């Protein structure tokens, strides 16, 4: 146990570090001419004590699996986290001053281009649920010794996703993650909703099943004790720290109008004179223990082979279960619809790796992002329509360089009776417009099985769209479906008259139309565009060339941003094409309820409509 | 005050109605062969008491502004709400049995194709914050006598947006809305997180500043009293009702496996025998008082005229302030960035109609949807990147036939130093793929002013994308910019060699490139595509025809789903085009921080890159 004088020495060390974090936050942001120094200063004491007293981190080895994790949910406090990296000695003074400059990894908000950053933040309300998701897997699957710390802004607690994060941790009981709320009272444009009412924050946190430690966020001894207690707690524990925005610099402390504003050179000089303009030094963090997670075991999955009609959502569940049974790094998450997405099949093969996220899609994607930071391969599923709820998390996942797999079931009008609220009709547009994304849309059980297996090894945001209804099996169980490929399922000879591009549910309609037309001697080339992004440009361009520029694209998705747009972009990229004659079949009116066949027809995307469209192009 | 026997009569009436609601919920869903009868039965007693005792509603006149509002946030309990409409006498037995059938307004989840439905629900966690948003405007702007009731599922309380709704009501103090939590313990695939722990729900609700009345949701007298107390309360008050899923039918009560499942004909027969298979009748609801909101006053707004460079976000704020000053039905909402989106300008002209939503974009869009139900014309703004957070609400807004205007600022890499988390690069794709949406992207102050005014009169989901940086003024203050139009800002003669399509920030780059090229004798036709959806196909097709099929599209947005895709779709819709030669300039790598000019160049979308692309097509 520390003697009083040892404790005094320790507090003195913290004070030195806090001073340096403040000075460096000012230096970097003033050099940049922008940034959030005041939001950094409020948390400088918290982070100083964390860095030197509690964050078990081998800075020379950021990949050490025993390292603690630190996620700045309030990503705009980037001057502070970069100042911590300087204090840890992993960047130098010159690098610190590249903050926000072109080409610098010290971007306006932290991203994993820096090895000590797990995930990109800056869209508020995300880092915290990501941290809790990480904690859930670390505890349940590894009982890992590391601790996860996340610095949370008071303003961002207005985001419901923060409460989804607390809900997750309360329900899954995660004492291995500590949200540290920096209650500095001032948001971007003025006071926060709750101001300095730390009791109100504590009441909310406690209502979601956590303990809350309310402290003075500038009292180093109180911080030290709270961080110790939080780390050692057996229940989920958060710290609610009353702080002062701009703390340490008299002329900006607790002043409105200073959010997201760098000090001028003169102001910085005055500020540094107050703080102490000493050269920055390097400090030690506590070392992590020696620990490694259990090694990943992997064998080839044994997917089911289908011969009878099956829904691709069911095939997804089967394939995921096979995959989870074969690979110990596969985890499944679902937003309380696992009996519809069929991800519940995983409970049969790897029950401990199935994570119920309840009806909270943001939390689900956040948790998936957190788990992939630990090396897991998450597959997260819900109705495709409800993935729209998580779009900001998906977008940010791409900036986080996250490797996550998403499956959206019940796509399009073909779901039938449930009506438009349950019909994903914008998911392809949404997912195509994610940086580096992969968008897959299988049409039968065997194709689904192969693509699910391929998803496990695919980096980035990988999306699979599945169908509610049973669809015929048109492929053999041993056929291969490379990502980026396509299949010509009808026609292919030189005398094809029209190319029809379809995927998923509409592929079967296209086949029916082609077979009907064939009886009349009209040869149609039908392309199964199961890989919507990346897309098989070569096959498309060749087909359109061979069919005199005549193309019908048919999709169960709004006309904008889906397969039609993707096909046109691919054709336009193929250089001059003479006389493209393009018909786009897609729902154009708001659907209601009805039988799937009725709705496909009303939307103009069933076999009849395809047949008419083809004849219209002849 | 009711005597005991009058009270007994009243309870007997409630009992009869509850019985009928149960019977009709079974009848309709069994006739449909799908639907959610058990989720309806748990709330039948709550809704029976509400309908006959508390819901002040003139069923013959759903447009009476004094009517109470009832929003089924748990939209899957549609058999119950339709049974209520039957009990109110506004639909008949035969119509009830069209539930979920093609063409029937009684869709799987309620939508405003029925006049008694304010908003579409079915994506969970939305109806409740919409109801609270409606209450905020009704109270603050009208002190309206009507009350807003919203039936909330226990499962959906996992959505953070529910807590955003409670946060809003707690902060704005809305005793005029009553969320009624139907705690039936069972979700779609099994038990909810909190089961029957009604105290846990109450603690959460209270922590967000509400009172919570915990009741037995099948005790008619308790319900009656709670509804009275909630209506008369001076503080925001919610009801937490412990209920039994499937209540009233012994063989499905509280049984797992019965979510979203209709009873078979035989089962329905047994169920109706238990409930009492009596013919359905019509019951009275309490009448609303005579009341009308203050009449809307409107005069022509006096927008600012710009001659000096100004950011379109600033011009948005100015124009919105002018509009709000001129029209009493315009309301502004912002997610705590009003000093960046400049919507704070409204505080100068109509401070009572500025609604601070703090950092909660779902809540903001929900509130906007709620307010437009009352006839207001909401304009909601935040960084365009953060509108991704509300995509599910925007999508559902289209199903709700909502007329809302959204403004997203800080679009694209051109924002500079803040980095990718703050850069909207998918917003055009997202907003184009919304049913019936309008997507606008102005390039200068005067154009922005005209388009903001046009937004007020435009139905549907209307989106404006604005730019962070100041841009030159290229249009006069008296020029007109019809939605669906475009402008040829350079070239236009028969000897133009290449068409360049741009909008917003890239338009200015395109102009610079065209002017440089003109010095070399290369004539370029530059189109300002300020209306991305609907889009001026005629001008585009004519331009591309006139320039030999040579087109460059340049946009500050990922390549997928934005202006490039929109242009290709328009050209493809124009019939056969001979030899399209298309170059698409758009960011293709993840940007970092830097100066706007550096990032525009790195993304390949500045004047230099446009010039090269044009030369490449010659």
């Amino acid at each position: 146990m520390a003697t009083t004088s040892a404790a005094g020495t320790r507090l003195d060390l913290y004070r030195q570090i806090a001073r340096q974090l403040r000075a460096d936050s000012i230096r970097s942001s003033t050099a940049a001419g922008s940034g959030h120094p005041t939001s950094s200063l409020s948390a400088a004491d918290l982070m100083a004590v964390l860095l030197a007293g509690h964050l078990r981190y081998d800075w020379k080895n950021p990949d050490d699996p025993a390292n603690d994790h630190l996620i700045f949910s309030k990503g705009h406090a980037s001057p502070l986290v970069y100042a911590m990296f300087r204090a840890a000695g992993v960047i130098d003074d010159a690098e610190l001053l590249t903050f926000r400059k072109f080409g610098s990894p010290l971007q306006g908000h932290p991203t994993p281009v820096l090895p000590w950053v797990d995930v990109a933040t800056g869209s508020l309300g995300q880092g915290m649920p990501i941290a809790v998701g990480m904690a859930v897997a670390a505890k349940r699957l590894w009982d890992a010794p590391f601790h996860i710390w996340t610095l949370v802004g008071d303003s961002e607690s207005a985001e419901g996703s923060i409460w989804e994060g607390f809900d997750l941790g309360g329900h899954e009981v995660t004492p291995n993650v500590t949200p540290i709320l920096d209650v500095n009272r001032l948001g971007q444009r003025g006071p926060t909703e709750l101001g300095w009412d730390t009791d109100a924050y504590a009441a909310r946190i406690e209502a979601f099943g956590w303990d809350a430690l309310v402290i003075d966020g500038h009292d180093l001894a109180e911080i030290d004790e709270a961080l110790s207690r939080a780390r050692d707690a057996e229940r989920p524990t958060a710290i609610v720290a009353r702080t002062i925005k701009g703390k340490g610099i008299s002329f900006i402390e607790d002043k409105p109008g200073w959010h997201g504003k760098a000090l001028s050179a003169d102001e910085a000089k005055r500020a540094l004179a107050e703080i102490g303009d000493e050269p920055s030094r390097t400090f030690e963090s506590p070392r992590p223990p020696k620990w490694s997670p259990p090694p990943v075991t992997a064998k080839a999955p044994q997917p089911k082979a289908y011969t009878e009609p099956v829904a691709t959502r069911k095939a997804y569940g089967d394939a995921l279960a096979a995959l989870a049974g074969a690979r110990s790094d596969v985890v499944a998450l679902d937003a309380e619809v696992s009996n519809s997405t069929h991800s519940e099949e995983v409970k049969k093969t790897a029950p401990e790796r199935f994570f119920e996220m309840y009806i909270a899609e943001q939390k689900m994607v956040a948790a998936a992002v957190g788990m992939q930071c630990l090396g897991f391969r998450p597959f997260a599923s819900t109705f495709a329509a409800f993935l729209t709820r998580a779009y900001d998390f998906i977008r940010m996942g791409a900036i986080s360089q996250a490797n996550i797999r998403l499956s959206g079931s019940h796509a399009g009008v073909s779901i039938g009776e449930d009506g438009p609220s349950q019909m994903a009709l914008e998911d392809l547009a949404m997912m195509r417009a994610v940086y580096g994304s992969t968008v897959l849309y299988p049409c039968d059980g065997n194709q689904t099985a192969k693509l699910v297996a391929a998803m496990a090894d695919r980096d980035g945001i990988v999306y699979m769209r599945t169908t509610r209804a049973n669809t015929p099996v048109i492929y053999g169980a041993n056929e291969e479906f490379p990502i980026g490929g396509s299949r010509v399922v009808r026609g292919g000879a030189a005398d094809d008259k029209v190319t029809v591009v379809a995927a998923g549910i509409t592929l079967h309609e296209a086949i029916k139309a082609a077979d009907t037309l064939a009886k009349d001697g009209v040869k149609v080339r039908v392309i199964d565009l199961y890989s919507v992004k990346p897309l098989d440009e070569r096959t498309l361009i060749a087909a359109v060339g061979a069919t005199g520029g005549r193309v019908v694209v048919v999709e169960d998705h709004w006309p904008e941003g889906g397969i039609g747009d993707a096909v046109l972009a691919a054709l336009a990229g193929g250089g001059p094409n003479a006389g493209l004659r393009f018909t786009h079949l897609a729902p154009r009116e708001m659907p209601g309820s009805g039988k799937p066949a009725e709705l496909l027809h009303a939307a103009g995307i069933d076999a009849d409509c395809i047949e008419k469209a083809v004849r219209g192009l002849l």
Side-chain angles (χ1 to χ4, degrees), chain A:
Chain A
M1 205 173 162
T3 66
T4 308
S5 101
T9 308
R10 188 143 98 166
L11 293 182
D12 193 54
L13 174 70
Y14 295 156
R15 199 167 296 117
Q16 290 174 46
I17 299 175
R19 190 210 57 74
Q20 176 171 320
L21 296 180
R22 290 196 161 89
D24 278 339
S25 296
I26 297 298
R27 288 175 182 132
S28 65
S29 53
T30 292
S34 67
H36 298 78
T38 56
S39 306
S40 297
L41 266 48
S42 62
D45 296 312
L46 294 163
M47 291 300 104
V49 179
L50 182 71
L51 182 73
H54 303 269
L55 185 75
R56 297 182 189 158
Y57 200 96
D58 179 355
W59 289 97
K60 294 204 177 61
N61 184 12
D63 292 332
D64 185 336
N67 282 340
D68 279 1
H69 293 262
L70 170 61
I71 296 177
F72 264 49
S73 193
K74 51 176 287 188
H76 55 287
S78 53
L80 178 59
V81 77
Y82 299 151
M84 292 173 78
F85 298 159
R86 168 62 193 89
V90 290
I91 61 171
D92 62 25
D93 293 338
E95 284 169 306
L96 193 69
L97 299 183
T98 66
F99 177 49
R100 290 178 160 248
K101 294 204 165 62
F102 185 72
S104 169
L106 275 61
Q107 298 181 8
H109 295 77
T111 81
V113 297
L114 290 167
W116 320 284
V117 174
D118 283 304
V119 292
T121 52
S123 180
L124 290 167
Q126 299 207 10
M128 186 274 185
I130 288 170
V132 177
M134 190 187 279
V136 167
K139 178 182 168 236
R140 192 202 289 183
L141 301 179
W142 291 346
D143 197 16
F146 59 77
H147 200 82
I148 300 153
W149 310 91
T150 176
L151 181 67
V152 185
D154 48 356
S155 279
E156 70 175 316
S157 78
E159 290 284 13
S161 55
I162 291 286
W163 303 101
E164 294 182 15
F166 277 115
D167 190 44
L168 176 60
H171 187 73
E172 291 274 345
V173 190
T174 49
N176 55 331
V177 56
T178 303
I180 305 168
L181 258 75
D182 177 16
V183 184
N184 66 23
R185 186 189 82 78
L186 287 171
Q188 166 168 332
R189 42 116 295 283
T192 59
E193 275 184 283
L194 295 175
W196 271 323
D197 190 350
T198 46
D199 288 345
Y201 286 107
R204 292 183 184 191
I205 290 167
E206 286 163 2
F208 280 80
W210 293 58
D211 290 338
L213 307 176
V214 177
I215 63 167
D216 174 348
H218 302 304
D219 182 318
L220 299 169
E222 260 192 64
I223 297 168
D224 201 29
E225 194 199 330
L227 293 173
S228 287
R229 280 182 58 191
R231 178 165 206 134
D232 297 340
E234 291 183 2
R235 286 182 27 78
T237 302
I239 295 171
V240 179
R242 184 188 196 279
T243 62
I244 294 169
K245 199 159 176 170
K247 171 73 178 180
I249 302 174
S250 57
F251 57 96
I252 58 176
E253 270 188 10
D254 196 34
K255 292 254 190 328
W258 275 99
H259 181 94
K261 201 171 160 185
L263 277 65
S264 69
D266 275 353
E267 289 162 345
K269 209 170 162 185
R270 283 170 55 202
L272 288 168
E274 272 195 39
I275 301 168
D277 193 7
E278 297 162 31
S280 290
R281 295 163 40 205
T282 297
F283 300 87
E284 298 284 316
S285 286
R287 299 291 298 225
K290 284 214 177 306
W291 176 84
S292 294
V296 173
T297 58
K299 52 188 182 186
Q302 298 296 328
K304 280 194 187 172
Y306 302 94
T307 53
E308 294 302 311
V310 63
T312 52
R313 61 183 170 124
K314 177 66 165 65
Y316 168 80
D318 290 344
L320 184 57
L323 197 64
R327 296 178 68 141
S328 66
D329 54 353
V330 167
V331 294
L333 304 92
D334 197 279
E336 223 267 309
V337 289
S338 60
N339 54 341
S340 288
T341 62
H342 290 284
S343 68
E344 69 177 6
E345 298 297 325
V346 171
K347 295 181 186 174
K348 299 177 185 162
T349 60
E352 76 287 3
R353 277 180 277 125
F354 180 89
F355 294 90
E356 180 56 70
M357 291 289 123
Y358 299 93
I359 305 180
E361 297 77 11
Q362 296 188 93
K363 175 169 94 176
M364 178 177 73
V365 174
V369 170
M371 291 178 189
Q372 65 87 40
C373 291
L374 303 180
F376 293 106
R377 293 173 191 267
F379 284 72
S381 47
T382 184
F383 284 28
F386 305 145
L387 284 174
T388 54
R389 188 73 70 113
Y391 195 27
D392 197 15
F393 284 76
I394 296 167
R395 171 186 82 86
M396 287 295 296
I399 306 176
S400 291
Q401 305 173 11
N403 301 318
I404 59 170
R405 295 118 204 119
L406 303 172
S407 173
S409 67
H410 294 70
V413 304
S414 77
I415 67 162
E417 289 79 359
D418 269 341
S421 63
Q422 322 289 303
M423 296 171 177
L425 288 164
E426 57 293 294
D427 57 317
L428 296 177
M430 169 176 95
M431 298 303 306
R432 280 182 68 232
V434 170
Y435 174 71
S437 66
T438 300
V439 179
L440 306 172
Y441 186 13
C443 71
D444 88 346
N446 292 324
Q447 189 181 50
T448 305
K450 284 290 167 71
L451 289 172
V452 169
M455 288 170 85
D457 293 315
R458 182 85 177 171
D459 281 348
I461 310 290
V462 186
Y463 174 58
M464 174 175 278
R465 179 185 225 218
T466 67
T467 299
R468 176 172 183 268
N470 286 352
T471 46
V473 172
I474 64 167
Y475 295 118
N478 295 321
E479 297 188 50
E480 296 301 328
F481 301 95
I483 290 173
S486 71
R487 278 302 186 92
V488 175
V489 296
R490 287 295 184 275
D495 57 346
D496 292 341
K497 292 289 179 267
V498 175
T499 298
V500 175
V501 182
I505 189 79
T506 61
L507 185 75
H508 301 284
E509 300 298 317
I511 290 172
K512 278 187 259 176
D515 291 348
T516 305
L517 286 159
K519 288 178 195 151
D520 287 355
V522 179
K523 294 195 174 175
V524 170
R525 185 173 303 184
V526 177
I527 296 180
D528 174 9
L529 200 73
Y530 64 84
S531 181
V532 177
K533 182 185 174 191
L535 172 158
D536 183 358
E537 296 192 4
R538 210 165 58 173
T539 299
L540 268 182
I541 290 167
V544 173
T547 56
R550 287 181 289 270
V551 196
V552 174
V553 173
V554 53
E555 60 182 318
D556 196 356
H557 184 278
W558 293 129
E560 297 86 4
I563 300 175
D565 279 5
V567 166
L568 286 172
L571 295 177
N577 53 68
L580 177 69
R581 302 210 289 171
F582 180 80
T583 300
H584 190 192
L585 303 180
R588 286 168 200 274
E589 296 300 329
M590 184 59 73
S593 292
K595 294 200 181 79
E598 291 170 328
L599 294 171
L600 287 171
H601 186 70
I605 57 172
D606 71 352
D608 277 0
C609 303
I610 297 168
E611 190 192 329
K612 281 200 190 74
V614 167
R615 290 189 195 278
L617 283 178
L618 292 173

